[in-house]
Amino acid sequence: MSNKPIFVATHPRACSTAFERVFMTCRDTLQCIHEPFGDAFYYGPERLSSRYENDEKGRIDSGFAESTFKTILDRIEREGDEGKRLFIKDIIHYLFPPNGAPPSIAPSLERKERGVGTSSKAPTNSGFCGVTSVPTNGTTDGTKLGAPYPYGTNAEPANPTVIPSAILDQFHFTFLIRHPRSSIPSYYRCTVPPLDKLTGFYNFMPSEAGYDELRRMFDYLRSIGQVGPGIATRSTNGTETTGNAVIHSNGETNGHATTNGTATTNGDSPKIDICVVDADDLLDDPKGIIEAYCKSVGIPYSPEMLNWDSKEDQQQAKAAFEKWHGFHEDAKNSCDLKPRMQKQPKTREVEDKEWREKFGEKGARTIRETVDANVEDYEYLKQFALKV
């Protein structure tokens, strides 16, 4: 069983903060870190987003104007020194140049002969990341994004992110998705009046939908064997289990499923299984999905994880979610995760009508275009989702 820091890779408005609150209840065994990489993506000297490019005051006032990908990894390493397993939830497009631009390694992480998060003289496997050299093969094509990117640094072949693969390998990646018909209008709402004054996001950027980056990250990790080939809760004979099936490159299944989130095949060492949570499944069956997820990643499950109504729970959430004003109010003010009332699915016509009433013709058209542009990536990831 992997004991690596868990990284829940997701996209905006995927019910991810409610999902995170479940694991924030495990204070004795888990150290939760809430969306750290947005600091570098939006505000720091290595920023990839152009959202605050013409707002230097906003970047400074954020308190993260000096944040680099290295300082964030240093922080993660320090928190890992407390002896608890790390649980990180973050928006995965924070590790990608927007709009499909070719990636290159963040300058703060490109130095050779160094330990990430440690001094340049750190021994091999020291600290959380334990990397003493960073491959630097290939180059970018110089695409201009209006922010410090492109860096002018080297790229790694096939790696779609600005983080070296040797660092990505230190994490146990899982994935959380939600249908864009739900996530996109929710995100749009955060970027228009009156909520934009609270969030500080004054325009909707379709490039922040996040599905394309999530799919590319998923496929990359599969291609290098960091996740898979087994799929959590899938067996080799088509029945559902608490382990996974081993799916080979030729499409055939082999080996056997286990109950601890790993798969073995022909005597190979255990692998991290593919673990994808769909937010709709989570909201319909919180207990079943959380229990299956816990088995996949190696966390003891308890029904108490679904309730966070204590004063300590609420104080912890307030501190963790403070920096992203307006985005996490529902999750911050919640006290538990219980099955939602079953809703009848809406037709496309009903959705469009509701969006026009809420956001006007232009807003509804933008939302529909963005939803349609991301459905294929969502449905691709959905086929791997946990089944209980």
Side-chain angles (χ1 to χ4, degrees):
M1 168 57 62
S2 163
N3 197 42
K4 293 179 177 181
I6 298 166
F7 194 127
V8 183
T10 188
H11 57 78
R13 315 307 289 172
C15 300
S16 61
T17 306
F19 184 74
E20 182 182 3
R21 290 217 64 175
V22 171
F23 299 95
M24 290 173 69
T25 66
C26 305
R27 286 184 291 272
D28 293 340
T29 56
L30 296 178
Q31 178 67 33
C32 291
I33 302 178
H34 178 72
E35 298 186 9
F37 290 100
D39 303 351
F41 179 81
Y42 283 117
Y43 306 113
E46 297 175 332
R47 60 190 177 278
L48 294 164
S49 173
S50 61
R51 179 173 284 282
Y52 291 97
E53 190 56 26
N54 298 318
D55 185 9
E56 183 179 8
K57 183 179 184 298
R59 296 198 304 271
I60 294 173
D61 290 348
S62 72
F64 305 114
E66 301 303 318
S67 292
T68 66
F69 288 98
K70 177 185 179 298
T71 65
I72 292 168
L73 287 163
D74 287 347
R75 172 202 163 189
I76 293 172
E77 182 173 339
R78 287 193 301 272
E79 299 209 25
D81 287 341
E82 297 182 9
K84 301 176 185 178
R85 190 176 183 188
L86 294 174
F87 184 94
I88 303 157
K89 187 271 289 187
D90 216 342
I91 307 301
I92 203 62
H93 77 243
Y94 292 164
L95 307 185
F96 287 69
N99 300 309
S104 64
I105 298 302
S108 63
L109 301 178
E110 200 196 24
R111 292 193 322 232
K112 297 181 181 180
E113 300 303 325
R114 62 179 297 277
V116 175
T118 63
S119 70
S120 61
K121 296 182 180 181
T124 302
N125 295 328
S126 64
F128 156 55
C129 290
V131 180
T132 56
S133 65
V134 176
T136 54
N137 300 316
T139 59
T140 67
D141 70 353
T143 301
K144 186 64 177 173
L145 298 180
Y149 199 85
Y151 300 137
T153 55
N154 293 321
E156 287 186 345
N159 183 352
T161 78
V162 302
I163 307 296
S165 59
I167 296 177
L168 297 176
D169 186 57
Q170 307 305 307
F171 297 101
H172 182 137
F173 278 95
T174 63
F175 304 86
L176 176 62
I177 59 174
R178 188 184 188 191
H179 199 290
R181 72 163 67 97
S182 299
S183 67
I184 299 301
S186 178
Y187 195 55
Y188 187 90
R189 174 175 170 267
C190 294
T191 66
V192 296
L195 200 53
D196 57 353
K197 290 184 178 179
L198 186 59
T199 64
F201 280 34
Y202 292 99
N203 61 302
F204 176 73
M205 299 173 67
S207 64
E208 293 178 342
Y211 291 87
D212 168 73
E213 292 85 356
L214 192 61
R215 177 175 178 171
R216 283 192 283 147
M217 185 66 159
F218 178 83
D219 281 344
Y220 173 65
L221 296 176
R222 289 182 71 205
S223 73
I224 62 175
Q226 189 169 335
V227 299
I231 303 176
T233 69
R234 313 285 181 90
S235 74
T236 58
N237 60 5
T239 61
E240 307 307 324
T241 74
T242 55
N244 55 13
V246 180
I247 302 179
H248 297 283
S249 58
N250 62 2
E252 298 177 355
T253 57
N254 200 345
H256 61 275
T258 66
T259 58
N260 62 357
T262 64
T264 58
T265 172
N266 300 326
D268 293 342
S269 60
K271 303 292 185 180
I272 293 174
D273 63 12
I274 293 169
C275 185
V276 178
V277 173
D278 187 290
D280 283 314
D281 298 333
L282 174 68
L283 296 175
D284 289 339
D285 184 9
K287 178 184 180 300
I289 292 296
I290 294 298
E291 187 170 9
Y293 181 88
C294 286
K295 289 178 180 178
S296 176
V297 299
I299 297 174
Y301 170 76
S302 169
E304 285 72 30
M305 296 169 68
L306 303 181
N307 184 286
W308 46 83
D309 199 21
S310 71
K311 181 178 180 181
E312 186 176 6
D313 287 325
Q314 300 302 71
Q315 289 175 338
Q316 181 187 17
K318 182 179 180 180
F321 306 150
E322 186 65 23
K323 70 178 180 180
W324 298 114
H325 296 289
F327 286 102
H328 304 316
E329 304 310 301
D330 289 344
K332 185 167 64 175
N333 296 324
S334 66
C335 59
D336 57 18
L337 184 62
K338 54 190 175 185
R340 65 182 176 183
M341 297 291 292
Q342 293 295 321
K343 297 181 179 180
Q344 292 295 324
K346 299 176 183 177
T347 66
R348 185 182 180 94
E349 290 72 21
V350 169
E351 289 175 344
D352 289 337
K353 181 176 182 293
E354 290 184 353
W355 298 340
R356 285 195 298 270
E357 292 172 351
K358 292 179 181 178
F359 305 113
E361 289 288 347
K362 182 179 179 181
R365 183 168 58 253
T366 298
I367 291 170
R368 173 56 65 193
E369 291 172 353
T370 309
V371 169
D372 289 348
N374 289 281
V375 166
E376 181 180 348
D377 289 332
Y378 163 79
E379 291 179 343
Y380 172 80
L381 293 166
K382 172 67 174 177
Q383 67 181 319
F384 299 94
L386 293 177
K387 295 182 178 180
V388 296

